[in-house]
């Protein structure tokens, strides 16, 4: 097992136990929620096997708590809350993007329809708030619990702002790399920043260190989304989604870069593609080849690595002790070295 997986696996069974408790309700709504996290089938019957998501955000949350000298078990409710928030955003995102598959399974709306999926997403959001309140029974002082709730709610707002931009970019062809970065700061980096910041908040009162880790999480979140964009076009089956970002006409980084760079017939090809109501696999194949020719994958990989390097520099210069910095840095590499 790779070292990074070993470091993370230290936390994962406790995170899953915490999530199981929050998602243990007996109603049909909870069956849908357990379906989303891979613990029930479409009939609500229990499914054996592990949690299907990577649990990156809650694991980083606990790691950061430990890195600043805290007791990571005390932060488990916050870690679960962050993962539930993430799942809530995935459920709504799948409805908004009409994505038919996620984590190698049919999405909630694809099984139960949009109305019930939106309702299930709302329940997941409420459970994220309830999970966070669990900090009170782990002896976290009330003012810190309130601060944690404030941070997670502000993060929700930033996610909505990022998602708003993402959706509004779909019909536009004038999106720049700067516009794109502004969108992913909200859509993705905000939740990474929140995970790092909450972990640190629950482990120390040193505001400077908390801010250091928040910045590190934010930069890592940018690197994560950029890698996700590359996988969304070239990742194939491993990513567990049937419909790739090109067919969905998403303005992911390789496409935004190509739109900025392409000229002449290349530009015409791109504009024709994005003018089509429903491009097919052959159309998408031609765009994938064009993106390759324009070095859009290399450009994106490089930008992702630059943000990753900036995240590591932030960590290196932070007030976190050396051993913890080294462990965090090793695990952070998962963000750009992954293939799903
Ligand atoms: C108010 C929380 C909230 C959300 C509403 C729908 C929405 C606004 C935002 C969508 C944000 C979104 C889905 C961003 C994409 C981030 C991303 C790349 C998710 C995939 O993360 P992984 O790979 O997923 O960590 P796993 O499956 O491993 O958990």
């Amino acid at each position: 097992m790779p070292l990074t997986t070993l470091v993370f696996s230290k936390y994962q069974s406790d995170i899953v136990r915490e999530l199981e408790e929050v998602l243990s309700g007996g109603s049909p709504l909870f069956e849908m929620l357990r379906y989303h996290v891979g613990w029930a089938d479409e009939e609500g019957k229990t499914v054996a096997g592990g949690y299907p998501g990577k649990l990156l955000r809650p694991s980083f949350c606990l790691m950061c708590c430990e890195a600043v000298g805290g007791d990571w078990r005390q932060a488990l409710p916050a870690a679960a809350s962050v993962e539930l928030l993430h799942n809530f955003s995935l459920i709504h995102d799948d409805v908004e993007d009409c994505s038919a598959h996620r984590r190698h399974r049919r999405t909630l709306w694809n099984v139960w329809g949009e109305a019930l999926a939106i309702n299930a997403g709302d329940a997941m959001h409420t459970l994220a708030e309830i999970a966070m309140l669990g900090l009170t029974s782990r002896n976290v002082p009330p003012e810190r619990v309130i601060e944690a709730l404030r941070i997670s709610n502000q993060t929700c707002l930033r996610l909505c702002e990022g998602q708003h931009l993402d959706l509004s970019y779909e019909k536009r062809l004038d999106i720049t790399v700067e516009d794109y970065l502004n969108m992913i700061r909200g859509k993705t980096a905000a939740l990474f920043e929140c995970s790092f910041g909450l972990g640190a908040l629950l482990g120390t009162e040193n505001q400077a260190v908390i801010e250091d880790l928040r910045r590190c999480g934010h930069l890592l979140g940018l690197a994560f989304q950029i890698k996700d964009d590359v996988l969304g076009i070239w990742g194939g089956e491993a990513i567990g989604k049937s419909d790739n970002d090109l067919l969905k006409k998403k303005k992911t980084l390789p496409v935004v870069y190509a739109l900025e760079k392409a000229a002449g017939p290349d530009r015409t090809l791109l504009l024709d593609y994005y003018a089509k109501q429903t491009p097919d696999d052959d159309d998408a194949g031609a765009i994938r080849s064009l993106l390759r020719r324009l070095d859009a994958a290399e450009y994106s990989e490089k930008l992702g690595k630059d943000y990753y390097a900036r995240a590591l520099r932030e960590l290196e210069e932070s007030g976190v002790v050396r051993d913890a910095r080294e462990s965090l840095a090793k695990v952070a590499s998962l963000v750009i070295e992954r293939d799903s």
Side-chain angles (χ1 to χ4, degrees):
M1 193 186 288
L3 180 63
T4 45
T5 316
L6 271 175
V7 177
F8 256 12
S9 63
K10 165 177 169 187
Y11 308 110
Q12 299 207 337
S13 56
D14 287 271
I15 297 169
V16 169
R17 207 169 307 125
E18 196 82 15
L19 289 171
E20 276 169 352
E21 208 167 299
V22 182
L23 296 174
S24 65
S27 69
L29 169 66
F30 276 85
E31 287 172 7
M32 281 181 77
L33 301 181
R34 283 196 293 273
Y35 170 86
H36 175 76
V37 297
W39 296 336
D41 66 15
E42 293 175 21
E43 273 76 48
K45 289 195 202 78
T46 302
V47 170
Y51 186 84
K54 294 181 285 297
L55 292 171
L56 283 179
R57 297 157 190 79
S59 304
F60 277 126
C61 175
L62 299 180
M63 248 194 132
C64 285
C65 180
E66 200 172 21
V68 297
D71 168 7
W72 64 267
R73 289 200 162 78
Q74 227 185 358
L76 274 166
S81 179
V82 161
E83 182 64 14
L84 292 163
L85 204 57
H86 168 58
N87 279 297
F88 155 52
S89 77
L90 297 182
I91 293 171
H92 277 210
D93 189 57
D94 289 338
V95 174
E96 290 163 10
D97 282 354
C98 302
S99 300
H101 294 91
R102 174 171 299 277
R103 297 169 172 166
H104 304 280
R105 315 171 81 215
R106 290 171 71 197
T107 47
L108 274 195
W109 74 265
N110 190 11
V111 180
W112 282 276
E114 290 180 14
L116 285 175
I118 292 168
N119 188 57
D122 293 341
M124 196 72 97
H125 181 206
T126 308
L127 288 169
E129 301 261 310
I130 292 172
M132 191 73 92
L133 288 170
L135 288 170
T136 53
S137 47
R138 305 243 176 171
N139 296 325
V140 177
E143 57 279 8
R144 237 187 252 195
V145 179
I146 292 171
E147 176 63 1
L149 279 169
R150 190 188 62 77
I151 291 171
S152 82
N153 277 286
Q154 278 183 340
T155 303
C156 265
L157 206 52
R158 288 175 68 195
L159 253 76
C160 291
E161 286 171 331
Q163 182 75 347
H164 175 97
L165 292 178
D166 196 15
L167 297 172
S168 68
Y169 288 175
E170 270 167 33
K171 289 196 169 56
R172 287 178 48 188
L173 295 169
D174 59 345
I175 304 303
T176 62
V177 171
E178 204 38 61
D179 293 329
Y180 162 85
L181 289 171
N182 198 25
M183 179 267 287
I184 68 166
R185 279 185 192 108
K187 184 179 92 161
T188 308
L191 195 51
F192 273 80
E193 178 182 329
C194 170
S195 309
F196 277 61
L198 284 178
L201 173 81
L202 295 166
T204 180
E205 288 179 14
N206 182 334
Q207 202 55 38
V209 181
I210 297 172
E211 286 307 315
D212 290 341
L213 283 175
R214 281 183 68 161
R215 279 195 300 278
C216 172
H218 186 88
L219 292 163
L220 208 56
L222 296 177
F224 176 85
Q225 182 60 59
I226 292 172
K227 180 72 187 184
D228 211 67
D229 284 4
V230 173
L231 292 172
I233 295 177
W234 291 286
E237 270 301 294
I239 57 172
K241 300 176 183 172
S242 56
D243 28 16
N244 94 32
D245 286 343
L246 280 181
L247 285 176
K248 287 197 279 175
K249 301 204 283 181
K250 301 292 287 182
K251 296 297 175 333
T252 58
L253 183 61
V255 171
V256 171
Y257 171 74
L259 280 166
E260 276 195 342
K261 194 177 174 198
D266 286 348
R267 186 161 185 80
T268 309
L269 185 67
L270 269 174
L271 297 186
D272 287 350
Y273 180 83
Y274 284 96
K276 281 196 177 165
Q277 199 70 28
T278 45
D280 60 24
D281 281 335
D282 288 345
D283 300 324
I287 297 299
R288 204 176 290 114
S289 308
L290 173 63
L291 296 181
R292 275 277 180 227
R293 216 155 14 83
L294 295 172
D295 292 334
E298 286 77 2
Y299 168 84
S300 305
E301 295 272 11
K302 180 175 179 321
L303 192 63
K305 283 186 181 148
D306 288 350
Y307 279 114
Y308 168 68
R310 280 178 60 185
L312 290 194
R313 265 203 309 280
E314 199 66 59
L315 184 62
E316 193 55 38
E317 289 161 13
S318 73
V320 174
V321 295
R322 190 162 146 213
D323 277 3
R325 280 204 314 266
E326 285 174 1
S327 305
L328 253 172
K330 275 182 197 127
V331 177
S333 66
L334 272 180
V335 160
I336 53 161
E337 278 161 16
R338 68 204 174 97
D339 59 10
S340 69

